[in-house]
Amino acid sequence: DIVMTQSPDSLAVSLGERATINCKSSQSVLNSPDNKNYLAWYQQKPGQPLKVLFYWASTRGSGVPDRFSASGSGADFTLTISSLHAEDVAVYYCHQYYATPRTFGQGTKVEIK
Amino acid sequence: EVQVVESGGDLVQPGGSLRLSCAASEIDFSNSWMSWVRQAAGGGLEWVAHINHRGNEKYYVDSVKGRFTISRDNGKESLYLQMNSLKVEDTAVYFCARGHYGLDSWGQGTLVTVSS
């Protein structure tokens, strides 16, 4: 199974400041034939359905604000919130869909400092 | 409006059975892979199973193989998860989501509690 490891487990950031979440996979999720990274990022807020932020590692999901960006390739990926808003308080998960079983990172909790 | 609504969660004894349902609308259900993902209290997400649009390809996480069965009814735009021989460690909120390469259109989940 591909193990997804996120860091940090939690972080507290001041409003307007940058938040960066890292995700490492135990093996590459880059598919050579199509040159796509089979990785997605999700946001989970209490009482709300999970929301896909990015898929194919850096393709923004519908309605995702520009302050969110995602990058990386192979086995190392990053989700960045350039300027934290109060509504960004949530748990963020990376997810690989390169192989079955699909696996998720353990989650990173983002809070306001 | 996109809607994905899970139901069927309940308190059940170890060894018991439960059938979860997921009703979907406005998600092009009959042409979509569909997935079940679960989350134990205070824990992370665990992919459980997924099924292709025709219902003839099904994949499971090892911990549920032989006990859980995913199925679908495209005419009813519904996804199901038959859970047998339930264990305490199956206790979780179960989510239904559309997708094979990335998951969009998630539901709010339904709680399954396995306890004596």
Side-chain angles (χ1 to χ4, degrees):
Chain A
D1 298 1
I2 298 177
V3 177
M4 308 298 290
T5 304
Q6 292 180 226
S7 61
D9 290 335
S10 65
L11 73 161
V13 176
S14 300
L15 291 173
E17 296 300 307
R18 179 185 300 264
T20 300
I21 300 169
N22 298 300
C23 173
K24 282 184 182 289
S25 55
S26 59
Q27 66 184 75
S28 175
V29 298
L30 174 63
N31 188 42
S32 297
D34 59 14
N35 199 37
K36 287 184 173 182
N37 288 283
Y38 282 46
L39 183 115
W41 287 96
Y42 303 95
Q43 178 190 61
Q44 185 177 36
K45 296 181 182 179
Q48 296 186 21
L50 274 90
K51 179 178 181 179
V52 59
L53 298 176
F54 294 90
Y55 49 98
W56 305 121
S58 59
T59 300
R60 193 184 310 276
S62 176
V64 176
D66 288 350
R67 63 181 180 276
F68 288 89
S69 64
S71 63
S73 185
D76 286 280
F77 300 91
T78 301
L79 174 70
T80 301
I81 309 172
S82 60
S83 174
L84 191 74
H85 290 200
E87 61 263 34
D88 301 334
V89 169
V91 180
Y92 294 84
Y93 294 92
C94 60
H95 167 227
Q96 69 78 21
Y97 46 91
Y98 179 83
T100 300
R102 309 297 203 228
T103 49
F104 293 84
Q106 79 276 19
T108 295
K109 187 173 185 179
V110 174
E111 300 173 306
I112 306 293
K113 184 188 291 183
Chain B
E1 180 188 350
V2 170
Q3 274 209 320
V4 175
V5 180
E6 303 92 340
S7 61
D10 205 347
L11 170 64
V12 61
Q13 291 190 340
S17 297
L18 210 54
R19 188 195 197 207
L20 305 184
S21 299
C22 169
S25 58
E26 302 297 329
I27 66 165
D28 193 20
F29 184 88
S30 62
N31 291 312
S32 300
W33 281 73
M34 294 296 296
S35 302
W36 287 101
V37 175
R38 66 185 178 183
Q39 184 172 38
L45 301 168
E46 180 183 36
W47 173 84
V48 174
H50 63 202
I51 184 170
N52 73 336
H53 63 291
R54 289 200 182 96
N56 60 340
E57 289 185 55
K58 306 175 185 182
Y59 301 90
Y60 302 90
V61 68
D62 281 352
S63 60
V64 308
K65 280 181 185 173
R67 300 188 299 122
F68 290 12
T69 302
I70 189 171
S71 63
R72 64 191 297 157
D73 183 333
N74 287 342
K76 295 182 179 179
E77 293 191 308
S78 293
L79 178 72
Y80 306 102
L81 187 67
Q82 177 66 43
M83 304 186 294
N84 298 331
S85 302
L86 280 160
K87 303 177 181 181
V88 170
E89 52 265 38
D90 295 319
T91 295
V93 174
Y94 285 72
F95 299 100
C96 166
R98 181 183 74 163
H100 186 216
Y101 296 133
L103 301 173
D104 62 15
S105 307
W106 293 69
Q108 298 258 30
T110 187
L111 176 62
V112 173
T113 303
V114 185
S115 174
S116 53

